[in-house]
Amino acid sequence: MNRKETHTEPLDRTVQPPFELPDRLRIPEARRIDLSNGIRLWTIDAGTQPLVRLSLVFGAGTRYQPTAFAASAALNLMSEGTARYTAAEVAERFDFYGIYYDTSIDRDYAVITVSCLSRFLDRTLDLLGEILFEPLFPERELEIYASKRKQQLLIEREKPAYQARELFSRGLFGADHPYGRVAAAAEYDNLTTDDLRRFYEAHYRSAGNLFAVASGSIATETERALVDFLARFDASVPAPVDPGIPPVVSTPLIREKRDGALQSSIRIGRVLFPKEHPDFNGLQVAATVLGGYFGSRLVKNLREDKGYTYGIYSAMLNMQHAGYFAVATDVQAEATDDAVAEIVSEVERLRREPIPTEELDMVRNIIVGEMMRILDGPFGIADVTIENTQCGTTNQALSDFFDEVRSITPERIRSLAERWLDPADFTTIIVGA
């Protein structure tokens, strides 16, 4: 046998391979189905494995609760005993069928997610129906839950970083604002099963108070099973009324000193606007430049040059009725005031000087790379779909962000920072030294 010899040039590992941003963002389509009871179901058929994930998104966040901790307790205790199954039996069925069950809650929304093998979807929906339509909220389960959560909260509030996070919300929005309100741990002692049932009846029974996103391997029979399940929600039950959002009352500085503190937790930022605002995307880029990746300006300054901290980040964060800019870090106690000054200095530099082209190109690569990572698989696409639906948009919003990242100029970033990131408008929280 004759072998054909080939000659290739040796690989020069000192030269970085070329990198080009894609021309456009390709997102698999989320198909919308409008059910007769008013529920919107998005399906994303993008799976290569026989798996299905269903997320139910309810307008049942903590800002709706009339009683402290009722929203999170109702969400977590729905699976702790139903008309047919005890809490232990529910857990056994999750394990037997390999069902992943998860809940999450924020100020605006509560999300219940199940994932399963396609062949166990019917059994999964049966069990999910028990949890959603026939929860019992047993007294003993509430006692155990409240006791554990109270202890966890008391322990967490001993940590400067946790306290700084709570104070930051209060400082940004105000102590009486639903985005800034913080309850005492002792409020767990007052929580009753009646509180949970009332919250459940008001927020989990109405078809008008949720939307759903299904992803994975969505065959015709899978879609039919999902539609049949969602049709069980009652269209005649009125959806809860959004209580609205009062004016923001921000506090410029809150400083909590702790004797002997070795570190200080610092949070700096300001209230801005939700994600649908035309400047939100551009400010996301500005926040990434400032502290959105490991080699960012804040990291280089406070970690690499000064050695004040192990890590620091900045970001734009979004809620239903507001958005805010935030910088967060933990620093050596003796460097507290210098660290705050350096953060402000970096913000001022961003407002004053256009970012160099080479730095902006690197930030573009980082942002686009992260977008590609998030969209690598049906579950990531589902998460994007949920977020965009919560914001009243579609997945086109991600393509719009991609386009802005590609086209944004150094002057546009500087102009946005100058307009919206004035340190005179910041709230600063320091817990520690």
Side-chain angles (χ1 to χ4, degrees), residues 212-223:
V213 178
S215 57
S217 180
I218 310 295
T220 301
E221 60 271 20
T222 300
E223 186 176 286

PDB file of all heavy atoms in Angstrom, residues 212-223:
ATOM      1  N   ALA A 212     -46.593  29.217  30.293  1.00  0.00           N
ATOM      2  CA  ALA A 212     -45.805  27.991  30.370  1.00  0.00           C
ATOM      3  C   ALA A 212     -44.816  27.924  29.222  1.00  0.00           C
ATOM      4  O   ALA A 212     -45.097  28.395  28.115  1.00  0.00           O
ATOM      5  CB  ALA A 212     -46.724  26.767  30.347  1.00  0.00           C
ATOM      6  N   VAL A 213     -43.661  27.310  29.497  1.00  0.00           N
ATOM      7  CA  VAL A 213     -42.635  27.091  28.471  1.00  0.00           C
ATOM      8  C   VAL A 213     -42.183  25.644  28.560  1.00  0.00           C
ATOM      9  O   VAL A 213     -41.735  25.183  29.623  1.00  0.00           O
ATOM     10  CB  VAL A 213     -41.429  28.034  28.655  1.00  0.00           C
ATOM     11  CG1 VAL A 213     -40.360  27.744  27.605  1.00  0.00           C
ATOM     12  CG2 VAL A 213     -41.862  29.499  28.568  1.00  0.00           C
ATOM     13  N   ALA A 214     -42.322  24.910  27.465  1.00  0.00           N
ATOM     14  CA  ALA A 214     -41.895  23.512  27.390  1.00  0.00           C
ATOM     15  C   ALA A 214     -40.743  23.399  26.393  1.00  0.00           C
ATOM     16  O   ALA A 214     -40.776  24.009  25.325  1.00  0.00           O
ATOM     17  CB  ALA A 214     -43.053  22.618  26.957  1.00  0.00           C
ATOM     18  N   SER A 215     -39.750  22.607  26.739  1.00  0.00           N
ATOM     19  CA  SER A 215     -38.580  22.473  25.875  1.00  0.00           C
ATOM     20  C   SER A 215     -38.060  21.046  25.921  1.00  0.00           C
ATOM     21  O   SER A 215     -38.393  20.271  26.809  1.00  0.00           O
ATOM     22  CB  SER A 215     -37.482  23.451  26.311  1.00  0.00           C
ATOM     23  OG  SER A 215     -37.142  23.235  27.672  1.00  0.00           O
ATOM     24  N   GLY A 216     -37.241  20.728  24.918  1.00  0.00           N
ATOM     25  CA  GLY A 216     -36.691  19.393  24.816  1.00  0.00           C
ATOM     26  C   GLY A 216     -37.210  18.689  23.581  1.00  0.00           C
ATOM     27  O   GLY A 216     -37.322  19.285  22.508  1.00  0.00           O
ATOM     28  N   SER A 217     -37.551  17.429  23.752  1.00  0.00           N
ATOM     29  CA  SER A 217     -38.086  16.641  22.651  1.00  0.00           C
ATOM     30  C   SER A 217     -39.612  16.768  22.670  1.00  0.00           C
ATOM     31  O   SER A 217     -40.305  16.074  23.419  1.00  0.00           O
ATOM     32  CB  SER A 217     -37.661  15.175  22.790  1.00  0.00           C
ATOM     33  OG  SER A 217     -38.166  14.400  21.732  1.00  0.00           O
ATOM     34  N   ILE A 218     -40.143  17.682  21.844  1.00  0.00           N
ATOM     35  CA  ILE A 218     -41.579  17.987  21.864  1.00  0.00           C
ATOM     36  C   ILE A 218     -42.247  17.358  20.642  1.00  0.00           C
ATOM     37  O   ILE A 218     -42.370  17.979  19.582  1.00  0.00           O
ATOM     38  CB  ILE A 218     -41.831  19.513  21.893  1.00  0.00           C
ATOM     39  CG1 ILE A 218     -41.008  20.183  22.991  1.00  0.00           C
ATOM     40  CG2 ILE A 218     -43.314  19.789  22.093  1.00  0.00           C
ATOM     41  CD1 ILE A 218     -41.379  19.778  24.388  1.00  0.00           C
ATOM     42  N   ALA A 219     -42.662  16.113  20.801  1.00  0.00           N
ATOM     43  CA  ALA A 219     -43.409  15.442  19.739  1.00  0.00           C
ATOM     44  C   ALA A 219     -44.868  15.871  19.788  1.00  0.00           C
ATOM     45  O   ALA A 219     -45.308  16.545  20.724  1.00  0.00           O
ATOM     46  CB  ALA A 219     -43.289  13.926  19.901  1.00  0.00           C
ATOM     47  N   THR A 220     -45.630  15.469  18.779  1.00  0.00           N
ATOM     48  CA  THR A 220     -47.040  15.858  18.709  1.00  0.00           C
ATOM     49  C   THR A 220     -47.807  15.380  19.936  1.00  0.00           C
ATOM     50  O   THR A 220     -48.598  16.130  20.526  1.00  0.00           O
ATOM     51  CB  THR A 220     -47.685  15.279  17.438  1.00  0.00           C
ATOM     52  OG1 THR A 220     -46.984  15.765  16.296  1.00  0.00           O
ATOM     53  CG2 THR A 220     -49.152  15.690  17.344  1.00  0.00           C
ATOM     54  N   GLU A 221     -47.563  14.127  20.340  1.00  0.00           N
ATOM     55  CA  GLU A 221     -48.286  13.601  21.493  1.00  0.00           C
ATOM     56  C   GLU A 221     -47.847  14.301  22.790  1.00  0.00           C
ATOM     57  O   GLU A 221     -48.637  14.449  23.733  1.00  0.00           O
ATOM     58  CB  GLU A 221     -48.100  12.082  21.618  1.00  0.00           C
ATOM     59  CG  GLU A 221     -46.666  11.616  21.793  1.00  0.00           C
ATOM     60  CD  GLU A 221     -45.956  11.361  20.460  1.00  0.00           C
ATOM     61  OE1 GLU A 221     -46.422  11.891  19.422  1.00  0.00           O
ATOM     62  OE2 GLU A 221     -44.940  10.639  20.474  1.00  0.00           O
ATOM     63  N   THR A 222     -46.591  14.735  22.836  1.00  0.00           N
ATOM     64  CA  THR A 222     -46.108  15.493  23.998  1.00  0.00           C
ATOM     65  C   THR A 222     -46.835  16.821  24.101  1.00  0.00           C
ATOM     66  O   THR A 222     -47.315  17.208  25.167  1.00  0.00           O
ATOM     67  CB  THR A 222     -44.591  15.732  23.879  1.00  0.00           C
ATOM     68  OG1 THR A 222     -43.916  14.477  23.824  1.00  0.00           O
ATOM     69  CG2 THR A 222     -44.078  16.534  25.062  1.00  0.00           C
ATOM     70  N   GLU A 223     -46.922  17.514  22.982  1.00  0.00           N
ATOM     71  CA  GLU A 223     -47.614  18.803  22.956  1.00  0.00           C
ATOM     72  C   GLU A 223     -49.073  18.631  23.367  1.00  0.00           C
ATOM     73  O   GLU A 223     -49.611  19.454  24.122  1.00  0.00           O
ATOM     74  CB  GLU A 223     -47.512  19.398  21.557  1.00  0.00           C
ATOM     75  CG  GLU A 223     -48.070  20.793  21.428  1.00  0.00           C
ATOM     76  CD  GLU A 223     -47.846  21.350  20.037  1.00  0.00           C
ATOM     77  OE1 GLU A 223     -46.694  21.706  19.710  1.00  0.00           O
ATOM     78  OE2 GLU A 223     -48.831  21.410  19.275  1.00  0.00           O
TER      79      GLU A 223
END
